Amino acid sequence: MTDFDATRALFHLPEGVIYLDGNSLGPLPRAATARMQRAMQDEWGEMLITGWNRAGWMAQPRALGDRIGRLIGAAPGSVVLGDTLSVKVYQALAAALALRPDRRVILSDSGNFPSDLYMAEGLIRALDRGHELRVVAPEEVAEAITDEVAVTLLTEVDYRTGRLHDMAGLTARAHAAGALTIWDLAHSAGALPVDVAGAGADFAVGCTYKYLNGGPGAPAFIHVAPRHADAAFPALSGWLGHDAPFAFEQAYRPGAGIERMRVGTPPVLAMAALEAALDIWDGVDMGALRARSIALSEMFIAGVEAACPMLTLASPRDPARRGSQVSFRFGHGYAAMQALIARGVIGDFRAPDIMRFGFTPLYLRESDVQAAIRTVAQVMQENLWDDPAHHRRHAVT
Ligand SMILES: *Cc1c(COP(=O)(O)O)cnc(C)c1O
């Protein structure tokens, strides 16, 4: 079992704030500050370029990849860190399309995060071989997996509603139709138990700054199923994915296995913060985390629905079909979220009308959820959102 009071103590949580946005940017692990300082002073400062060997910087993308691998059910040596999630989506998609050269359809759903769809559009344009991005409603994905489909590009947990796809079922269906699967785990890794190997996923990608608490701009990860690892061609053929980067050969030869999914120089300082975040995850039982995430989410839904008839639940009511977030629809959702943030309850807003709240058992207690319910009830019942200050739009919502 995991002691969630103990994990809470490992985070810096600002005074007077109830943080329900760990699904967008996890809070600061206390140990990250000292780890970062060590990386700067003892490693960069003292070792200079010898840090690549002496401090293990070069091995970090694989070593941290294995620690994330445990959280997503991936075999050791099948996950590597680097770049951003958008870039990893592009890489996985390019590799998958190359493995299905006679098919032309990329299947995704309208609940997918726009960047995933944009990257697919850009890749289609760059390839210029007549590929099609076919976007259907989330509940129509299974039916839409036909023998035209080269690859499905799906995000397991819908960023707006929290709706959870059946990864194992859809993967089996894709394989039966001869298609490959890419699973985006942006809202899954660190949010619920994931078993990419058990589901038979071909590729998986995700970010580390949301539930994993790696810090703003922390590197993304990519998993390639070991059965594809030596066949998947990396479209972004950078020198650190080369079989022998320091041979400085003129022509590209992909490295062995997951190594080829590296591109260029890893962000060593960002990796240091992520390392401290993963120290916390190493001790967490994902089953216990899921049970607590459901308990906290159910408490929030019941409390908010009882007090706020003007809010409509946008997330599936069945917790087994939700990730670790709860969303409500409200016409003035942006202003309502600003009013909550002004009162120390931080969630976020996703256009057009979604108020989104993340539940992160590592540092959220039942008492926090109860206090958040009271603040939501007050803001909604007293129309406290109806204030010009709360209608002003910021760049990040
Ligand atoms: C958060 C998120 C992204 C963000 O991509 P970055 O390149 O890290 O900015 C992409 N896809 C999904 C599904 C996300 O939830």
Side-chain angles (χ1 to χ4, degrees):
M1 282 304 283
T2 302
D3 177 352
F4 290 108
D5 289 328
T7 56
R8 177 179 165 82
L10 300 175
F11 289 92
H12 171 76
L13 299 164
E15 214 36 61
V17 166
I18 296 172
Y19 196 55
L20 304 181
D21 214 0
N23 51 312
S24 260
L25 175 67
L28 171 69
R30 287 184 188 280
T33 311
R35 177 67 190 89
M36 192 78 150
Q37 192 160 8
R38 224 171 66 226
M40 295 186 88
Q41 291 182 337
D42 303 354
E43 298 177 10
W44 178 19
E46 295 303 319
M47 297 182 193
L48 296 165
I49 199 156
T50 68
W52 287 106
N53 292 320
R54 287 166 63 203
W57 294 343
M58 199 49 96
Q60 231 170 9
R62 278 281 294 278
L64 298 193
D66 280 347
R67 294 170 72 183
I68 289 171
R70 184 188 79 83
L71 300 175
I72 63 167
S78 70
V79 178
V80 75
L81 274 290
D83 315 297
T84 77
L85 175 50
S86 303
V87 172
K88 282 348 215 182
V89 165
Y90 190 92
Q91 253 188 322
L93 199 49
L97 291 179
L99 289 171
R100 287 292 177 274
D102 35 350
R103 295 190 178 200
R104 287 290 175 273
V105 174
I106 299 166
L107 180 67
S108 191
D109 72 59
S110 54
N112 206 348
F113 190 77
S115 198
D116 295 35
L117 303 178
Y118 301 161
M119 296 309 279
E121 261 187 56
L123 176 62
I124 288 171
R125 200 175 309 223
L127 290 175
D128 195 21
R129 283 175 40 225
H131 287 96
E132 174 198 343
L133 173 60
R134 192 171 290 171
V135 180
V136 301
E139 53 283 2
E140 286 163 7
V141 168
E143 289 304 310
I145 302 175
T146 63
D147 60 11
E148 289 176 287
V149 175
V151 60
T152 60
L153 173 61
L154 299 169
T155 297
E156 188 189 22
V157 177
D158 187 304
Y159 77 105
R160 279 204 197 91
T161 64
R163 186 257 320 117
L164 181 63
H165 267 314
D166 171 8
M167 186 191 293
L170 290 175
T171 299
R173 197 161 172 128
H175 288 171
L180 296 171
T181 56
I182 299 170
W183 285 101
D184 190 326
L185 304 177
H187 297 276
S188 306
L192 68 165
V194 179
D195 186 4
V196 291
D202 299 286
F203 297 85
V205 292
C207 51
T208 61
Y209 51 81
K210 293 173 179 164
Y211 290 91
L212 294 177
N213 315 310
F221 65 84
I222 184 167
H223 157 75
V224 181
R227 63 184 177 281
H228 297 308
D230 286 321
F233 193 81
L236 302 173
S237 39
W239 73 304
L240 288 189
H242 191 281
D243 191 44
F246 284 86
F248 298 107
E249 295 169 11
Q250 187 159 332
Y252 182 77
R253 283 189 295 119
I258 196 69
E259 283 286 340
R260 62 180 58 192
M261 290 298 162
R262 295 176 66 157
V263 182
T265 304
V268 172
L269 298 180
M271 294 268 188
L274 176 59
E275 195 172 272
L278 292 176
D279 286 345
I280 300 175
W281 281 108
D282 283 347
V284 173
D285 174 309
M286 293 307 288
L289 180 102
R290 176 67 169 159
R292 194 163 160 78
S293 148
I294 289 175
L296 295 173
S297 307
E298 290 286 279
M299 174 187 283
F300 186 73
I301 292 173
V304 169
E305 285 195 321
C308 308
M310 64 297 275
L311 298 184
T312 310
L313 184 66
S315 300
R317 193 166 291 280
D318 176 0
R321 300 189 49 223
R322 274 199 316 262
S324 200
Q325 67 174 70
V326 170
S327 303
F328 286 96
R329 288 186 200 283
F330 179 58
H332 300 280
Y334 179 81
M337 187 52 76
Q338 292 303 309
L340 288 174
I341 293 170
R343 288 163 180 80
V345 174
I346 302 184
D348 61 20
F349 171 76
R350 288 295 175 261
D353 59 355
I354 295 273
M355 297 172 70
R356 192 168 71 152
F357 303 92
F359 293 88
T360 47
L362 292 192
Y363 48 87
L364 271 185
R365 303 164 296 192
E366 292 178 356
S367 58
D368 298 319
V369 174
Q370 291 295 351
I373 292 167
R374 286 194 295 276
T375 305
V376 173
Q378 192 197 11
V379 163
M380 299 313 301
Q381 289 167 3
E382 298 175 22
N383 291 336
L384 298 178
W385 52 268
D386 199 7
D387 174 327
H390 298 324
H391 289 279
R392 206 170 304 126
R393 292 274 171 147
H394 298 285
V396 175
T397 63

